[in-house]
Amino acid sequence: MADLPLDLEQELAERLGDAFDRERKIVRALEALGPVGDRDVVLLDGAGGRRASELAELGARLVHVDPVYPFRAPLVEDRSADAIVAFWNGFHGVDEGELAEADRVLRPGGRLLIVHDYGRDDVSRLRGDRPEYGAWSRRDGPFLRGGFRIRVLHCFWTWDTIDETRAFLSEAFGEQGAALELKRPRLSHNVAIYHRSTRYREA
C-alpha cells in the first residue's frame, strides 16, 4: 500500500506506519502545495490507508484509483478533480501519456502532487542505490526537466525507545539494519514532493 515507501509483511508495516512521519509533515505539505482540503482529489493507491485518512481529515473528497503503468483513470470524468496525489507507487519519471491523462482529469489550475523518496538520509543507507535517490531529483532529471518543481521534507521514523528502533531495524533489514548506528530512537527519511499545475488547453 502507498502509505509506505517499501513492502513489508503486515506486522512490520504496522509498526513502521506508527513510526513514520508522526509530525504529519507530508499531508501538511500537500495542503500547502495543493491545496487538497475541501477539494476533489484523485488518490492513487491509498484506499483505506493512513494518508487517505489524513487527507480526509482535511476535508478532501477522495476518489481512489488503482496504480497502473502508465497512469490511467478511465472512470474519472474529464476536468473533475482539483488535485491528483500519488504516493510512491505512481509516476516513476515523466511520461507524456501519463501527464496527458492527468491533465484530462484535472480542472484548470489543478495540481499533480507526486510523493517519492529523496535520499541523502538514514533510510537510503538501508535500501541501497535507487533512481529516486539520485537521477530523479537532479536538475537534469526527468521531473525537474519535465516542468515539475520539488519540495523536500525532512521526515523521520520515530519510536519511543532506541530498543524499539533497533528491534524493528533488525527484523525488517537483517544484519544491515542491526549494524546501523543510532544515537536517538529515530531515522531521518527525506521525502520529495514533485508538483506541477495542469497544462490546460481549450478543446
Side-chain angles (χ1 to χ4, degrees):
M1 182 178 288
D3 275 359
L4 299 173
L6 67 163
D7 293 325
L8 295 168
E9 61 182 52
Q10 182 174 350
E11 191 267 340
L12 287 171
E14 290 174 356
R15 286 159 62 187
L16 179 55
D18 290 338
F20 180 35
D21 191 28
R22 288 183 176 182
E23 301 83 4
R24 295 168 64 116
K25 289 183 178 182
I26 295 174
V27 72
R28 287 191 280 116
L30 292 171
E31 173 65 4
L33 294 169
V36 292
D38 298 316
R39 301 297 203 279
D40 296 311
V41 176
V42 172
L43 179 60
L44 183 64
D45 188 29
R50 184 179 305 256
R51 308 298 165 214
S53 296
E54 292 174 349
L55 290 168
E57 287 173 13
L58 291 176
R61 297 179 291 274
L62 299 176
V63 174
H64 297 282
V65 174
D66 291 332
V68 294
Y69 178 79
F71 167 70
R72 292 292 182 268
L75 301 182
V76 180
E77 295 181 0
D78 293 1
R79 299 173 188 169
S80 62
D82 299 300
I84 297 171
V85 177
F87 289 106
W88 288 289
N89 288 335
F91 295 93
H92 290 177
V94 174
D95 178 287
E96 288 301 321
E98 290 189 311
L99 295 186
E101 177 71 348
D103 288 338
R104 178 191 70 78
V105 167
L106 290 168
R107 296 182 176 119
R111 301 286 285 157
L112 177 56
L113 307 166
I114 302 171
V115 179
H116 282 303
D117 280 7
Y118 182 74
R120 304 139 174 101
D121 56 20
D122 294 333
V123 173
S124 62
R125 292 163 56 195
L126 293 170
R127 302 193 67 201
D129 188 33
R130 304 175 64 86
E132 54 264 51
Y133 295 161
W136 288 5
S137 60
R138 292 198 301 256
R139 288 186 179 182
D140 62 348
F143 286 105
L144 300 187
R145 190 181 67 241
F148 283 82
R149 300 181 71 181
I150 184 173
R151 177 170 295 187
V152 178
L153 310 177
H154 301 289
C155 300
F156 299 95
W157 298 359
T158 307
W159 286 268
D160 294 330
T161 68
I162 284 184
D163 286 342
E164 284 182 82
T165 311
R166 286 180 174 143
F168 173 83
L169 293 177
S170 295
E171 293 173 48
F173 297 98
E175 292 182 4
Q176 190 172 7
L180 192 68
E181 294 185 11
L182 297 172
K183 295 182 179 179
R184 291 176 289 184
R186 72 181 191 183
L187 277 69
S188 61
H189 182 183
N190 295 332
V191 172
I193 302 180
Y194 298 98
H195 56 99
R196 70 184 277 275
S197 294
T198 184
R199 296 178 295 190
Y200 176 68
R201 297 182 178 89
E202 293 287 352

